[in-house]
Amino acid sequence: MNSVLLKIKDFNFYPYAKLAIAVLIIIQISFYFYGIFSDFKLANEFRYIDEQTILDGNKIVSNDQYITENLCFDPNNINYKFNSYDNVFLSGKNGFSFHNNPRFLIFDPYYRHISADTFKKFKTHIKNIGYNKDFNLTYYVARETNSTNRYGLDVFSNSYPMFGADTLSKLKEKTDFIAYNIFEQNIQILSRYYWEETPFMLNPINELDLDRDKSEIFSQYGFLSLYPIKFIMEQLGGISVNNFEKTKNIVCMIYYVIAVGFVFLFFKNDLIRLIFILLLGIKFFSVTYYSYHYAPTFFDTRHFFDLIIVLFLFYATKFQNLSAIFKTICIFLALLSIFMANDFGLYIFIALLGALIVEYGIIAVKNRKLVNAEKIFFILIYTILGAIIYIKYPFMKNPSIKYFLDGFYSFNIPAALLLAVLSVIFIQWLLFIFFYKKLQDSKYLLSYSFLLFYTGFFYTYTVWRVDLSTVNFFIAALPFIIILNLFPDRARKVISILCIFICIIIYAKFSMSYIKEIFNYEKIFETHKIYKWNHERAGGIITTYPFDKFQSSINLINKYSPDTKEIYMISKYDNILQFFSKKYSGLKYFELRSFLVSDIEYNEVLNLIKNKADILYVDADIDRDYKAEMRERRFFDLYDEYWYNENVKQRIPKLETLSKLFNEVKENYELIDSGGLLNVYKKK
């Protein structure tokens, strides 16, 4: 061990560190370029809009029809020669899901045997499903309806294959269909994909473009942050889905360049720089292609100025003659951050306030002068300005605050993770005390103080949502990197090499997984009939479902609401139709499904319909029988208990709420037209 450490100490790693940094930057920029210079591809997240799958031999099938005829669980018709449990063998330990699409073998083990090595790779089965013929109940339904308590678990001890076929080739075809469609089918059940998430940024931009009163606009991702996004889209040719995705990559690339510039200005040691660059890459790849692909939360506009503030606080300490200027710039950026996005902006504002108060306390103790009127006035003015800006934030306050508070106060964070988070925060403050003198001498003290508060706020996200992808690793690690930079040269070098080695392993794991996800996602468009949406607001995106029904619905909206920007709609497609028709909802919320979380919001919308909606656009299938739908027992609905629960506890209740809402006002309206996805009603 000692000889290894001696070799590490004596070896010159710095030229290799420079080369590694250059390679990592090129790799990262290439991923942003991929997003900027390619047409955006969008999978089908709409369960009730059919698509077509291309099977072997260029056989093209309707998904809805194929599932109905081939992949519905039918325990009264199970006399197939081959079935999903005995003859389908999956690779790995997990089955099908949108995160996992395993390779598989189809064969008859009675007539054909495989090697032990192959069996180890393909030993996972498609599980049978528990079912009782007497009660006509699957185990999942019994669990959901508490029937297991009434009948007991034993009555569900018999299990049956989920599907079968009379030939191995037909069984392979069915399994191919599952593999080709598992991603889209899962997100259709999950109801949490592009058109559920992206409208939280796209629709506010649309409403800004339509000059809606700002106090009526809700944007979860900020106010001023929307303007540069809108501006870049317009420079690319206009507000559209395709340009929005290109803009996402442009903005994230700009922030990445800022981060790279930051680390070169903030640190002089190339090994330290390499650690930070690796963490930047780990953060990017760890959010997964699936999440980055659809979630606007990964737009870096919300915390755009944080690293600049850290750098300028360093300069404020390093260049004392310019300290007031650098601090003033930091204050301006912190206040501007609240306007950019009031949640992260508030984090930045309070973190800077904390750093300034800590600095004041240190100076007061050092000079033995408790009151410094000039500095107190400076801090007080900053605090008052921040409070005013936060109160005067021009957009609507978060209407789903109850949802976020419920998530926070439910405190679903595991005890071990909570202890780890608290330990990290405690260690950061402990290091502040132990390394106080070195932090002061190296001019990092003010920056470190800011990061103590800022990273502490970051960790609150792990309380609301147990997902480490919500934490920016490179910022969370920055206090520890600063301390590492203060170590003696030899110790710093050894620890840096060990950290780099660990980071390389993590980087490789996440980057390979990310690339694999890209290839899996691209396969969706190779195995489905694809369409190019040439609508102005689509911008030429590639999808697996046609635009026809949306266009017909937009035509209806333009026909019956030609002279108004405000429309009234009860629809699961409300957000996308508003965006494409260049309208906004008069029902306060651009998407009813996500916002009708309590009686307060429901009654608010109900009263708006009764009082203001002369023309009401409603889903053509608003009264769909969801119980009958679940009785079809489609493979994708029953394959895993998680997906079954998502159906009956999340997706269907949201849609039933829309149906209930319409039926409360239905008698006041008469049907006057239909087309595409919508019916048009006029108040009697």
Side-chain angles (χ1 to χ4, degrees):
M1 181 66 180
N2 289 334
S3 62
V4 172
L5 292 177
L6 285 172
K7 288 180 180 179
I8 291 175
K9 289 176 182 178
D10 296 334
F11 189 80
N12 185 10
F13 286 96
Y14 293 99
Y16 298 96
K18 291 180 187 293
L19 177 62
I21 288 170
V23 170
L24 288 169
I25 292 172
I26 292 169
I27 290 172
Q28 190 71 47
I29 295 294
S30 69
F31 277 95
Y32 292 127
F33 274 27
Y34 171 76
I36 294 168
F37 294 105
S38 61
D39 284 333
F40 184 62
K41 294 180 179 178
L42 188 59
N44 183 10
E45 65 196 271
F46 298 115
R47 184 181 177 101
Y48 306 116
I49 297 179
D50 199 13
E51 60 186 304
Q52 293 176 299
T53 299
I54 305 171
L55 298 171
D56 284 353
N58 287 325
K59 178 182 178 181
I60 300 177
V61 299
S62 155
N63 274 24
D64 190 60
Q65 183 179 350
Y66 192 90
I67 293 170
T68 301
E69 294 176 355
N70 296 278
L71 288 171
C72 287
F73 175 65
D74 185 2
N76 297 313
N77 185 19
I78 58 172
N79 296 318
Y80 294 113
K81 185 175 180 181
F82 307 104
N83 65 64
S84 55
Y85 182 84
D86 294 325
N87 304 104
V88 181
F89 295 81
L90 309 178
S91 64
K93 297 180 180 179
N94 301 312
F96 289 106
S97 76
F98 67 85
H99 283 310
N100 188 55
N101 202 336
R103 293 179 295 121
F104 58 86
L105 288 177
I106 306 291
F107 70 95
D108 185 357
Y110 184 80
Y111 292 105
R112 176 188 165 199
H113 296 283
I114 56 177
S115 68
D117 288 340
T118 303
F119 180 74
K120 286 180 182 178
K121 295 177 182 177
F122 295 89
K123 62 180 180 180
T124 302
H125 295 271
I126 294 178
K127 294 179 182 178
N128 288 344
I129 186 166
Y131 174 78
N132 184 277
K133 288 186 176 181
D134 294 331
F135 305 119
N136 189 26
L137 278 177
T138 62
Y139 175 68
Y140 293 158
V141 176
R143 281 267 303 252
E144 171 62 23
T145 58
N146 292 321
S147 298
T148 52
N149 296 333
R150 187 188 317 162
Y151 302 124
L153 290 174
D154 292 342
V155 300
F156 299 99
S157 58
N158 291 331
S159 60
Y160 302 87
M162 298 204 69
F163 63 91
D166 291 325
T167 65
L168 288 176
S169 61
K170 184 64 176 179
L171 190 68
K172 180 182 181 302
E173 179 188 276
K174 292 184 179 184
T175 312
D176 279 339
F177 182 91
I178 292 168
Y180 296 162
N181 286 282
I182 189 66
F183 181 89
E184 291 181 299
Q185 289 290 322
N186 279 178
I187 63 174
Q188 287 169 20
I189 293 170
L190 194 61
S191 285
R192 189 178 179 85
Y193 188 54
Y194 196 84
W195 286 112
E196 201 275 340
E197 291 283 340
T198 305
F200 280 82
M201 190 172 276
L202 263 183
N203 283 57
I205 290 173
N206 173 57
E207 293 174 23
L208 275 178
D209 191 55
L210 295 171
D211 295 320
R212 188 176 193 180
D213 187 328
K214 292 181 178 60
S215 64
E216 296 178 356
I217 299 175
F218 169 65
S219 171
Q220 187 172 319
Y221 299 102
F223 166 55
L224 285 185
S225 60
L226 301 183
Y227 284 91
I229 296 168
K230 180 173 176 285
F231 173 78
I232 295 172
M233 281 197 284
E234 287 169 344
Q235 301 312 300
L236 293 172
I239 297 171
S240 71
V241 176
N242 210 11
N243 288 338
F244 177 77
E245 291 303 318
K246 293 179 188 299
T247 300
K248 180 199 297 183
N249 285 281
I250 290 171
V251 169
C252 291
M253 184 171 66
I254 291 171
Y255 183 81
Y256 180 78
V257 171
I258 290 172
V260 170
F262 161 82
V263 75
F264 273 89
L265 294 171
F266 199 69
F267 297 112
K268 300 303 179 187
N269 185 286
D270 284 326
L271 296 179
I272 297 291
R273 289 169 174 170
L274 179 56
I275 293 172
F276 189 81
I277 299 292
L278 278 166
L279 289 173
L280 279 173
I282 290 170
K283 169 57 182 173
F284 176 81
F285 292 120
S286 68
V287 302
T288 74
Y289 179 71
Y290 163 73
S291 297
Y292 182 75
H293 189 70
Y294 81 90
T297 189
F298 299 114
F299 249 104
D300 286 317
T301 49
R302 298 169 83 185
H303 57 99
F304 199 76
F305 300 123
D306 50 10
L307 291 178
I308 298 174
I309 291 173
V310 174
L311 179 64
F312 280 13
L313 288 175
F314 170 62
Y315 284 164
T317 310
K318 186 175 182 180
F319 306 109
Q320 283 295 319
N321 58 325
L322 299 174
S323 180
I325 294 174
F326 282 118
K327 285 181 182 177
T328 301
I329 294 172
C330 289
I331 284 173
F332 173 75
L333 293 178
L335 295 174
L336 189 61
S337 293
I338 300 175
F339 270 134
M340 288 289 284
N342 65 348
D343 52 359
F344 270 82
L346 193 62
Y347 290 172
I348 292 172
F349 167 76
I350 297 176
L352 182 57
L353 178 62
L356 293 175
I357 292 173
V358 167
E359 182 193 40
Y360 178 87
I362 291 170
I363 294 173
V365 171
K366 182 180 178 181
N367 296 335
R368 296 183 180 181
K369 183 180 179 182
L370 187 59
V371 178
N372 185 318
E374 183 181 338
K375 290 186 180 296
I376 290 176
F377 180 75
F378 185 73
I379 293 172
L380 193 60
I381 290 297
Y382 170 63
T383 306
I384 293 170
L385 285 174
I388 291 171
I389 290 172
Y390 185 77
I391 293 169
K392 294 294 183 180
Y393 186 74
F395 275 179
M396 181 198 304
K397 298 300 182 185
N398 194 335
S400 292
I401 193 67
K402 181 181 183 299
Y403 163 69
F404 292 107
L405 288 176
D406 285 348
F408 188 84
Y409 288 116
S410 62
F411 213 72
N412 64 340
I413 184 172
L417 181 56
L418 175 62
L419 183 62
V421 168
L422 293 176
S423 299
V424 168
I425 295 172
F426 174 74
I427 291 169
Q428 286 179 341
W429 281 95
L430 206 61
L431 291 172
F432 176 76
I433 297 170
F434 286 161
F435 286 86
Y436 169 76
K437 187 67 171 67
K438 287 189 175 182
L439 285 168
Q440 191 175 49
D441 293 342
S442 61
K443 315 304 181 186
Y444 286 133
L445 186 64
L446 197 54
S447 297
Y448 190 91
S449 301
F450 171 82
L451 288 166
L452 281 178
F453 293 101
Y454 188 48
T455 57
F457 288 131
F458 263 11
Y459 293 128
T460 60
Y461 266 66
T462 61
V463 176
W464 182 74
R465 183 177 178 223
V466 185
D467 184 351
L468 291 179
S469 70
T470 57
V471 178
N472 286 334
F473 297 114
F474 56 92
I475 293 176
L478 199 48
F480 296 102
I481 297 175
I482 290 172
I483 296 299
L484 175 59
N485 193 52
L486 302 179
F487 276 39
D489 289 346
R490 286 196 171 185
R492 179 177 61 205
K493 184 177 179 181
V494 171
I495 296 172
S496 295
I497 295 299
L498 293 175
C499 290
I500 289 167
F501 178 72
I502 294 169
C503 286
I504 288 172
I505 294 172
I506 298 171
Y507 180 93
K509 176 183 180 297
F510 281 124
S511 61
M512 286 189 291
S513 176
Y514 191 93
I515 293 168
K516 182 181 177 182
E517 281 193 55
I518 292 177
F519 281 109
N520 284 339
Y521 191 77
E522 289 292 329
K523 285 180 183 177
I524 294 172
F525 301 89
E526 297 170 6
T527 57
H528 290 80
K529 187 176 179 180
I530 58 173
Y531 304 84
K532 188 166 187 175
W533 289 12
N534 290 314
H535 187 276
E536 174 192 354
R537 280 293 178 92
I541 62 172
I542 307 299
T543 72
T544 58
Y545 53 109
F547 192 70
D548 300 357
K549 291 185 177 180
F550 291 105
Q551 185 61 62
S552 298
S553 302
I554 293 166
N555 292 342
L556 275 180
I557 293 169
N558 290 333
K559 178 180 177 181
Y560 290 99
S561 304
D563 302 320
T564 179
K565 298 175 183 177
E566 187 173 77
I567 59 174
Y568 299 86
M569 184 181 297
I570 304 174
S571 171
K572 52 186 162 289
Y573 310 107
D574 50 3
N575 47 24
I576 182 173
L577 289 174
Q578 289 166 46
F579 179 74
F580 280 110
S581 64
K582 299 183 182 179
K583 308 286 186 182
Y584 56 79
S585 175
L587 299 179
K588 187 176 180 178
Y589 310 113
F590 58 77
E591 180 189 300
L592 294 183
R593 282 182 305 158
S594 295
F595 288 98
L596 300 187
V597 294
S598 74
D599 289 341
I600 295 172
E601 296 87 11
Y602 181 90
N603 290 326
E604 186 177 33
V605 169
L606 181 62
N607 289 330
L608 284 170
I609 294 172
K610 289 178 178 178
N611 296 328
K612 298 184 69 176
D614 293 325
I615 296 293
L616 185 63
Y617 301 96
V618 181
D619 274 341
D621 62 348
I622 192 74
D623 288 323
R624 182 182 289 272
D625 187 344
Y626 298 107
K627 290 184 173 60
E629 179 183 308
M630 293 306 293
R631 285 196 295 270
E632 289 181 351
R633 293 172 177 154
R634 295 183 169 211
F635 170 85
F636 299 100
D637 293 336
L638 298 183
Y639 174 62
D640 185 276
E641 188 171 10
Y642 173 78
W643 299 113
Y644 176 81
N645 286 336
E646 282 298 313
N647 251 324
V648 299
K649 293 180 179 179
Q650 295 287 340
R651 184 182 70 86
I652 290 176
K654 288 179 180 179
L655 298 178
E656 287 177 334
T657 298
L658 298 185
S659 178
K660 177 187 173 186
L661 181 65
F662 173 63
N663 281 296
E664 288 209 43
V665 299
K666 186 177 182 179
E667 63 181 21
N668 300 325
Y669 290 85
E670 58 181 343
L671 179 66
I672 59 172
D673 207 344
S674 298
L677 304 166
L678 298 176
N679 290 335
V680 185
Y681 291 86
K682 185 176 182 180
K683 185 171 282 187
K684 294 177 181 177

